[in-house]
Structure formats: C-alpha cells, structure tokens
Amino acid sequence: MDLGLTGRAIIVSGGSSGIGLACVAALLAEGAMVATCARDHERLRHATAAFDPASCLAVPADVTDARAMEAFVATTVERFGRLDGVAAIAGQGIHGRALDLSIAQWESEVMGKLRGVLNLVAPARPHLRRSDGPRIVTLSAPTARDPDPGMAASSAGRAALANLSRALALDLAGEGISVNAVAVGLIDTPRQHRRHDDVAPNIPYDDWLRGEADERAVPMRRPGSVADVALLVTLALSPVLGYTTGSVLDATGGLPGS
C-alpha cells in the first residue's frame, strides 16, 4: 500500500537513536524528506551519516528550547520548501518515587515532555496549514493511565502529554491538522540497555528484558522493537489516515495504551 509520503516533508525530534532514529529511517524509506534534531551533535551526526543528505537534514537542537525549535522549523521549511508533518519523539524518563523526587525534578520531567511538543507545534502550525493533509504525532504510554510508582514524574508527564495531544487534536481539527498519539510499551531501545546496566548488570540483557515483560504482565509476553513503533508513527503521518484524529495507536503488546 502506498502511504502517500513521497515528497512530503516531516520533522522528527529525537532522531539520534532508538525510536526517533527508527522513525527517520522508516519515513525516508517511504520517500519522505525528513528533518531531525537531537541535543548531542556528534551522536546525531553519526546516527544519520548513512542517510542521503538531499532528503535528510540533521540539526543539533534541544526541543525544550523554544527559540531553537523556531529556528529548526524555519531551517526545515527553507531546505525542503514545505512542512507536512511533525513527530514529537524526543524525550527522557527519570526514575524515582513520588516523594523521593525534588520539585525541580518534577518540573523538569513534566514540563520537559510538554515543551517537547509545544515548542515544535507552535512554529510548525502556520506551515502545516498550507499542507494537504498535515499530521502531528506524539508519544504516549500505558503509564499515562496506570502510573509506574518507580517512575512517578515520568508517568505524570505522560498523562499530561496525552491530555495535551487530545486538546491539540480538538483545537486543530478545524484547520485540517490531525493529531494522534502512538502509545509505547516495553520497547527494546538503547534506554533499556542503559537501565539494564544500572539495575541488573549481572543478568543477560535478553533474559532481563523478558523478565520485565513478565513483571509488567505484557499479554504478548515479550518486548517490542523500535520498528514496531516506527511503523505506527509512519502510518499516523501518512495522508492516507485522513479521518482519524485525537486517537491513540498502540504498540504495547496488548496493554491498554492510554
């Protein structure tokens, strides 16, 4: 099935690794032009080195910096002449129980997730209005509805982001801009590798990850891959998905998404 992405310009934040990088690769494979950003310049440069620079623009920038995102959007439109979609993928998660985290950590985690969307969507909006079938995609997670006590601030940030995504969908529907989320469950990413190294370095990684799937009661009893998520993000950015907004597409192995 042709997803109609050839020649369309898409922004993907967080493209230096994991889910973001997988989304960049999937979109390029569908014929889209992709601009991506990440904070770590060297890591981003290395991650995108194999992509054709004619269709892939990599810009070092932090999504929590509003001015940097304004410049990033402007550079994307200048380079590709249009903007058809935004995938707000960049993000992080901090561990800690509710009363063990400082107020500064709470503010950083919750507001960081919101800024990662708002700082991109605000400058992108006037350009998206000129597109035929503009799309915005955010990330959600099962913790948006069932918090992980060990990641209290991250769970609250996911809940706030899910609510923001729904609000944006309602606000922008009249402008023809659809906003959908992809819910991410237990996914095999570099972040999981780092977590494994922190909490269980003596257990083989694959065994530990399967144990995580069991502990979280994932119905499919296994983790997902970044390709599983990228497939849904690509679909949500496609003009083919023309009458869907305010929805959540699940890559959670059977857990409720949000």
Side-chain angles (χ1 to χ4, degrees), residues 84-152:
D84 302 286
V86 171
I89 305 299
Q92 60 184 8
I94 61 172
H95 291 83
R97 304 184 80 85
L99 298 181
D100 294 334
L101 297 170
S102 68
I103 294 299
Q105 288 174 309
W106 274 93
E107 290 176 344
S108 174
E109 182 67 10
V110 175
M111 288 307 302
K113 283 181 167 40
L114 298 180
R115 288 191 184 103
V117 173
L118 292 169
N119 287 347
L120 261 178
V121 170
R125 180 183 185 182
H127 303 289
L128 291 173
R129 284 172 176 160
R130 293 192 284 272
S131 170
D132 178 18
R135 305 281 183 261
I136 295 170
V137 181
T138 66
L139 289 188
S140 184
T143 52
R145 58 179 291 166
D146 294 315
D148 178 350
M151 297 188 71

Side-chain angles (χ1 to χ4, degrees), residues 3-254:
L3 294 180
L5 286 162
T6 299
R8 295 175 75 82
I10 309 292
I11 281 176
V12 178
S13 66
S16 62
S17 67
I19 293 170
L21 180 57
C23 290
V24 172
L27 288 162
L28 289 171
E30 289 292 329
M33 302 176 292
V34 181
T36 188
C37 68
R39 290 178 295 183
D40 189 324
H41 186 185
E42 187 61 25
R43 189 176 178 186
L44 179 65
R45 184 190 65 79
H46 184 266
T48 58
F51 300 139
D52 184 354
S55 55
C56 182
L57 170 67
V59 176
D62 186 345
V63 294
T64 66
D65 184 334
R67 290 187 177 180
M69 290 300 97
E70 289 173 4
F72 175 47
V73 169
T75 299
T76 299
V77 175
E78 180 180 359
R79 173 69 171 275
F80 296 136
R82 58 188 294 164
L83 182 59
D84 302 286
V86 171
I89 305 299
Q92 60 184 8
I94 61 172
H95 291 83
R97 304 184 80 85
L99 298 181
D100 294 334
L101 297 170
S102 68
I103 294 299
Q105 288 174 309
W106 274 93
E107 290 176 344
S108 174
E109 182 67 10
V110 175
M111 288 307 302
K113 283 181 167 40
L114 298 180
R115 288 191 184 103
V117 173
L118 292 169
N119 287 347
L120 261 178
V121 170
R125 180 183 185 182
H127 303 289
L128 291 173
R129 284 172 176 160
R130 293 192 284 272
S131 170
D132 178 18
R135 305 281 183 261
I136 295 170
V137 181
T138 66
L139 289 188
S140 184
T143 52
R145 58 179 291 166
D146 294 315
D148 178 350
M151 297 188 71
S154 181
S155 298
R158 287 293 182 199
L161 186 53
N163 197 285
L164 171 62
S165 298
R166 178 65 178 168
L168 287 172
L170 297 175
D171 278 346
L172 301 179
E175 300 174 19
I177 302 173
S178 74
V179 183
N180 294 294
V182 172
V184 177
L186 179 66
I187 305 297
D188 185 1
T189 64
R191 184 184 299 173
Q192 293 293 350
H193 281 272
R194 293 192 294 271
R195 183 164 171 257
H196 163 260
D197 292 343
D198 288 340
V199 303
N202 296 324
I203 301 175
Y205 175 73
D206 289 343
D207 293 343
W208 173 80
L209 198 57
R210 282 193 295 269
E212 286 289 293
D214 289 340
E215 184 176 336
R216 300 185 191 190
V218 178
M220 293 187 74
R221 303 184 66 183
R222 64 173 178 82
S225 70
V226 292
D228 293 324
V229 182
L231 177 64
L232 292 185
V233 172
T234 300
L235 176 61
L237 288 165
S238 167
V240 172
L241 207 68
Y243 198 56
T244 301
T245 195
S247 296
V248 181
L249 307 177
D250 288 351
T252 62

